[in-house]
Tab-separated table of all heavy atoms in Angstrom:
chain	number	residue	atom	x	y	z
T	100	LEU	N	130.931	119.311	101.343
T	100	LEU	CA	130.484	119.739	100.011
T	100	LEU	C	131.069	118.774	98.999
T	100	LEU	O	132.242	118.400	99.102
T	100	LEU	CB	130.994	121.152	99.706
T	100	LEU	CG	130.330	122.317	100.431
T	100	LEU	CD1	131.037	123.611	100.062
T	100	LEU	CD2	128.870	122.408	100.036
T	101	ARG	N	130.258	118.403	98.005
T	101	ARG	CA	130.754	117.450	97.009
T	101	ARG	C	131.389	118.171	95.827
T	101	ARG	O	130.769	119.050	95.235
T	101	ARG	CB	129.593	116.602	96.480
T	101	ARG	CG	129.168	115.490	97.408
T	101	ARG	CD	130.073	114.280	97.327
T	101	ARG	NE	129.662	113.323	96.341
T	101	ARG	CZ	128.978	112.202	96.620
T	101	ARG	NH1	128.655	111.886	97.841
T	101	ARG	NH2	128.649	111.370	95.660
T	102	GLN	N	132.610	117.784	95.508
T	102	GLN	CA	133.203	118.198	94.243
T	102	GLN	C	132.790	117.111	93.246
T	102	GLN	O	133.261	115.975	93.320
T	102	GLN	CB	134.736	118.258	94.365
T	102	GLN	CG	135.410	118.800	93.129
T	102	GLN	CD	136.926	118.678	93.173
T	102	GLN	OE1	137.489	117.932	93.980
T	102	GLN	NE2	137.602	119.386	92.304
T	103	LYS	N	131.859	117.458	92.358
T	103	LYS	CA	131.236	116.404	91.551
T	103	LYS	C	132.192	115.775	90.550
T	103	LYS	O	132.066	114.608	90.198
T	103	LYS	CB	130.014	116.976	90.815
T	103	LYS	CG	128.898	117.356	91.783
T	103	LYS	CD	127.724	117.905	91.021
T	103	LYS	CE	126.759	118.575	91.962
T	103	LYS	NZ	125.839	119.454	91.252
T	104	GLU	N	133.125	116.592	90.064
T	104	GLU	CA	134.152	116.051	89.172
T	104	GLU	C	135.497	116.487	89.725
T	104	GLU	O	135.638	117.635	90.142
T	104	GLU	CB	134.014	116.655	87.773
T	104	GLU	CG	132.848	116.137	86.979
T	104	GLU	CD	132.788	116.860	85.639
T	104	GLU	OE1	132.391	118.048	85.645
T	104	GLU	OE2	133.162	116.260	84.616
T	105	GLN	N	136.465	115.578	89.694
T	105	GLN	CA	137.773	115.911	90.246
T	105	GLN	C	138.562	116.733	89.229
T	105	GLN	O	139.402	116.224	88.507
T	105	GLN	CB	138.536	114.645	90.644
T	105	GLN	CG	138.161	114.142	92.016
T	105	GLN	CD	136.913	113.281	92.022
T	105	GLN	OE1	136.150	113.239	91.060
T	105	GLN	NE2	136.690	112.577	93.106
T	106	LEU	N	138.260	118.029	89.206
T	106	LEU	CA	138.881	118.914	88.210
T	106	LEU	C	140.067	119.674	88.783
T	106	LEU	O	140.407	120.746	88.310
T	106	LEU	CB	137.836	119.887	87.656
T	106	LEU	CG	136.658	119.244	86.912
T	106	LEU	CD1	135.658	120.281	86.443
T	106	LEU	CD2	137.161	118.429	85.714
T	107	GLY	N	140.664	119.138	89.839
T	107	GLY	CA	141.878	119.726	90.386
T	107	GLY	C	141.676	120.426	91.718
T	107	GLY	O	140.559	120.743	92.118
T	108	LEU	N	142.824	120.678	92.380
T	108	LEU	CA	142.799	121.301	93.704
T	108	LEU	C	142.154	122.691	93.664
T	108	LEU	O	141.375	123.050	94.547
T	108	LEU	CB	144.252	121.382	94.236
T	108	LEU	CG	144.481	122.119	95.534
T	108	LEU	CD1	143.677	121.515	96.678
T	108	LEU	CD2	145.971	122.117	95.885
T	109	GLY	N	142.476	123.452	92.613
T	109	GLY	CA	141.898	124.798	92.489
T	109	GLY	C	140.381	124.718	92.401
T	109	GLY	O	139.657	125.466	93.064
T	110	HIS	N	139.900	123.788	91.615
T	110	HIS	CA	138.457	123.597	91.461
T	110	HIS	C	137.824	123.170	92.788
T	110	HIS	O	136.727	123.625	93.142
T	110	HIS	CB	138.198	122.556	90.363
T	110	HIS	CG	136.756	122.286	90.112
T	110	HIS	ND1	136.105	121.186	90.638
T	110	HIS	CD2	135.819	122.980	89.430
T	110	HIS	CE1	134.841	121.210	90.272
T	110	HIS	NE2	134.633	122.288	89.538
T	111	ALA	N	138.537	122.348	93.552
T	111	ALA	CA	138.030	121.919	94.869
T	111	ALA	C	137.870	123.132	95.787
T	111	ALA	O	136.864	123.267	96.483
T	111	ALA	CB	138.980	120.896	95.494
T	112	VAL	N	138.846	124.031	95.760
T	112	VAL	CA	138.769	125.232	96.611
T	112	VAL	C	137.597	126.112	96.155
T	112	VAL	O	136.844	126.628	96.984
T	112	VAL	CB	140.115	126.003	96.605
T	112	VAL	CG1	139.995	127.337	97.345
T	112	VAL	CG2	141.225	125.155	97.233
T	113	LEU	N	137.412	126.223	94.856
T	113	LEU	CA	136.307	127.036	94.333
T	113	LEU	C	134.946	126.455	94.760
T	113	LEU	O	133.991	127.204	95.024
T	113	LEU	CB	136.406	127.121	92.803
T	113	LEU	CG	135.391	128.014	92.084
T	113	LEU	CD1	135.432	129.444	92.613
T	113	LEU	CD2	135.653	128.006	90.563
T	114	THR	N	134.886	125.125	94.867
T	114	THR	CA	133.654	124.454	95.312
T	114	THR	C	133.233	124.930	96.713
T	114	THR	O	132.064	124.883	97.076
T	114	THR	CB	133.873	122.914	95.318
T	114	THR	OG1	134.336	122.526	94.024
T	114	THR	CG2	132.609	122.141	95.635
T	115	ALA	N	134.209	125.404	97.494
T	115	ALA	CA	133.917	125.821	98.876
T	115	ALA	C	133.268	127.198	98.960
T	115	ALA	O	132.795	127.588	100.026
T	115	ALA	CB	135.216	125.832	99.689
T	116	GLU	N	133.218	127.922	97.846
T	116	GLU	CA	132.773	129.317	97.902
T	116	GLU	C	131.411	129.528	98.598
T	116	GLU	O	131.298	130.408	99.449
T	116	GLU	CB	132.767	129.953	96.505
T	116	GLU	CG	132.558	131.458	96.602
T	116	GLU	CD	132.522	132.138	95.234
T	116	GLU	OE1	132.311	131.442	94.221
T	116	GLU	OE2	132.692	133.366	95.202
T	117	PRO	N	130.375	128.717	98.276
T	117	PRO	CA	129.083	128.966	98.938
T	117	PRO	C	129.160	128.851	100.465
T	117	PRO	O	128.419	129.523	101.168
T	117	PRO	CB	128.169	127.873	98.371
T	117	PRO	CG	128.852	127.371	97.148
T	117	PRO	CD	130.300	127.600	97.315
T	118	ALA	N	130.052	128.015	100.970
T	118	ALA	CA	130.152	127.849	102.429
T	118	ALA	C	131.094	128.883	103.053
T	118	ALA	O	130.968	129.217	104.221
T	118	ALA	CB	130.625	126.440	102.763
T	119	VAL	N	132.042	129.374	102.268
T	119	VAL	CA	133.016	130.346	102.804
T	119	VAL	C	132.442	131.760	102.739
T	119	VAL	O	132.526	132.534	103.693
T	119	VAL	CB	134.352	130.282	102.022
T	119	VAL	CG1	135.275	131.436	102.417
T	119	VAL	CG2	135.057	128.953	102.246
T	120	GLY	N	131.839	132.088	101.595
T	120	GLY	CA	131.296	133.441	101.432
T	120	GLY	C	132.405	134.454	101.220
T	120	GLY	O	133.522	134.100	100.808
T	121	ASN	N	132.107	135.692	101.580
T	121	ASN	CA	133.036	136.791	101.287
T	121	ASN	C	133.921	137.089	102.490
T	121	ASN	O	133.887	138.176	103.041
T	121	ASN	CB	132.211	138.019	100.886
T	121	ASN	CG	133.092	139.097	100.282
T	121	ASN	OD1	134.134	138.793	99.683
T	121	ASN	ND2	132.708	140.351	100.469
Side-chain angles (χ1 to χ4, degrees):
L100 287 176
R101 282 280 270 260
Q102 185 188 16
K103 293 180 193 163
E104 286 177 286
Q105 276 84 346
L106 298 178
L108 174 58
H110 180 260
V112 173
L113 184 56
T114 306
E116 191 181 18
V119 171
N121 192 29

